Amino acid sequence: KNSWLEELNEFYLNSSALKKIKSIFDQNWEIRNSASKNLKKIRSDKNRLENNLEKVMITCYKKAKKNGLLHEENIQLFDNRKVLSISASNKRKIKGAIYGQSQTGKAIYIEPIEVINIRNELQEIYFRESNEINRILLELTDVFRPDLDKIIKGYSALINLDKFAAKAYLAYEMDSIIPIFSDQINITNGKNPILLLQNKKI
């Protein structure tokens, strides 16, 4: 069986690939805006539209409030969408999509048409962002594809080294060693790790 040193020699190291990974992912493993020029442009457009969506929603709310159409004095959240709570008697006075009503039926939850138009643009942006991220990740995968066998061996070596470390740590904590078995066995003050972990007296 390989020694721990031989296991270390099986580790997969690729400095250029590591540099590529760092250029794509930040410290939280999120895709950087700078991962590609196209992604940077897409996210810039996304931020602009998201900010515009908020502004338009506030404008619609103020207009509905001024015209006395509101049932509740705040922008509401319904099924993860920001909507206006409009009095049922006024529901035809505002254009938009109806997503539900209150339990009493006195309030209708409407997303104004101006907001819907921007949200549709955002959905397209989200789709483009997802496609660009997939393209970036596939391109990154191609960097590692030629080294697949080395990566698999390195992963196996990492698992084995982790096992060795776990056994060594457990032995240290229990003040024990792993026995080496031969034709003749003579165990003095033997310890069963399973029973020790269960705090059972031997």
Side-chain angles (χ1 to χ4, degrees):
K1 187 175 181 177
N2 291 342
S3 69
W4 66 271
L5 187 58
E6 290 173 325
E7 292 287 347
L8 284 176
N9 290 331
E10 291 290 339
F11 277 11
Y12 174 73
L13 299 173
N14 187 326
S15 57
S16 62
L18 180 60
K19 188 177 180 180
K20 181 73 173 175
I21 289 174
K22 288 182 177 180
S23 71
I24 292 174
F25 296 98
D26 62 19
Q27 292 181 342
N28 297 319
W29 291 104
E30 299 290 337
I31 304 290
R32 296 179 186 273
N33 292 345
S34 58
S36 77
K37 289 182 179 180
N38 193 27
L39 183 62
K40 187 175 183 179
K41 174 68 168 55
I42 289 171
R43 286 187 170 172
S44 176
D45 291 342
K46 182 179 74 170
N47 290 336
R48 176 180 53 79
L49 282 172
E50 286 176 342
N51 291 333
N52 193 30
L53 181 68
E54 291 294 321
K55 292 177 181 178
V56 170
M57 189 66 189
I58 291 172
T59 300
C60 290
Y61 166 77
K62 289 180 177 179
K63 183 178 178 182
K65 183 178 180 180
K66 182 180 178 181
N67 293 333
L69 305 179
L70 295 177
H71 179 76
E72 294 174 78
E73 291 290 314
N74 291 298
I75 294 174
Q76 304 293 311
L77 193 65
F78 188 88
D79 196 22
N80 291 324
R81 290 177 181 269
K82 289 186 176 181
V83 296
L84 299 178
S85 176
I86 304 296
S87 300
S89 58
N90 294 321
K91 68 179 181 180
R92 298 187 185 280
K93 295 180 180 179
I94 182 169
K95 293 182 179 180
I98 296 176
Y99 287 105
Q101 63 180 20
S102 63
Q103 291 182 343
T104 61
K106 293 181 179 180
I108 304 297
Y109 300 116
I110 299 177
E111 184 177 43
I113 187 66
E114 298 92 335
V115 175
I116 293 173
N117 292 336
I118 298 174
R119 188 177 295 282
N120 288 339
E121 287 186 66
L122 269 173
Q123 288 301 324
E124 182 185 352
I125 288 286
Y126 294 150
F127 180 72
R128 286 168 53 198
E129 181 184 29
S130 178
N131 281 347
E132 180 62 12
I133 288 174
N134 286 337
R135 187 197 66 77
I136 291 168
L137 294 179
L138 283 172
E139 189 178 83
L140 180 62
T141 302
D142 290 337
V143 173
F144 293 97
R145 201 180 306 281
D147 294 340
L148 181 59
D149 289 340
K150 293 179 181 178
I151 293 172
I152 292 173
K153 287 182 180 179
Y155 180 66
S156 178
L158 184 63
I159 291 174
N160 288 333
L161 188 64
D162 189 51
K163 287 180 183 178
F164 297 154
K167 289 177 182 178
Y169 178 77
L170 185 64
Y172 176 80
E173 288 292 309
M174 293 182 173
D175 190 24
S176 305
I177 61 170
I178 297 176
I180 299 174
F181 296 105
S182 60
D183 293 338
Q184 295 183 356
I185 301 174
N186 182 19
I187 300 177
T188 304
N189 295 325
K191 298 176 182 178
N192 184 316
I194 295 176
L195 296 178
L196 283 174
L197 290 171
Q198 294 175 350
N199 293 319
K200 290 184 178 180
K201 293 183 179 180
I202 304 172

